[in-house]
Amino acid sequence: MEQQKLPNVTIAIVLAILSYLCCCIYGIPAIIMSGIGLYLVKKDEKTLMENPQGYSNQGQLRTAKILVIIGLVLGVLYLFWTIYQIQAMGGWEEAMRKSQEIMEQFGIEE
């Protein structure tokens, strides 16, 4: 019997890499992409458990799982850091006021 490749491993790795790139946007896109990637990895793990000898890219599945978990942790940490920074500035209104002042200093006005 010919071995197949698990269907969602490549997509999960791509989502994990994108979550690294997007973790600095308040952490929310990284959490969403990593969550989707983790769902796909879990789905492939169930498929692999049904037929362990039928698939050839088990190592890539482990790699995808590790990358997705790291992306999820980074996204959550960055989200908590962002919330902390907003609170340290004095709340959302004060953060928006300071942001508006910086935009005016650089000549970026709405």
Side-chain angles (χ1 to χ4, degrees):
M1 181 177 203
E2 187 176 325
Q3 288 188 333
Q4 302 173 4
K5 293 195 180 282
L6 290 164
N8 299 319
V9 173
T10 305
I11 298 168
I13 290 174
V14 169
L15 285 171
I17 293 170
L18 287 175
S19 72
Y20 294 145
L21 298 175
C22 296
C23 76
C24 296
I25 307 172
Y26 305 116
I28 295 170
I31 293 170
I32 292 170
M33 285 187 247
S34 295
I36 294 169
L38 192 59
Y39 171 76
L40 294 174
V41 165
K42 294 291 183 182
K43 190 175 174 182
D44 274 356
E45 283 179 338
K46 288 180 185 177
T47 304
L48 182 63
M49 289 297 188
E50 292 172 3
N51 185 10
Q53 286 78 27
Y55 298 99
S56 63
N57 56 348
Q58 297 169 4
Q60 288 179 341
L61 181 64
R62 277 187 246 111
T63 303
K65 186 175 183 179
I66 291 168
L67 290 174
V68 164
I69 290 172
I70 291 171
L72 185 63
V73 168
L74 287 176
V76 168
L77 288 175
Y78 202 86
L79 179 64
F80 286 150
W81 176 255
T82 302
I83 292 170
Y84 170 76
Q85 288 295 318
I86 289 172
Q87 291 300 320
M89 282 187 202
W92 184 255
E93 294 297 324
E94 187 64 22
M96 289 295 107
R97 189 187 65 73
K98 287 181 182 179
S99 175
Q100 185 67 29
E101 286 177 7
I102 292 171
M103 287 172 47
E104 288 173 0
Q105 286 177 354
F106 287 106
I108 305 170
E109 297 180 27
E110 295 179 356

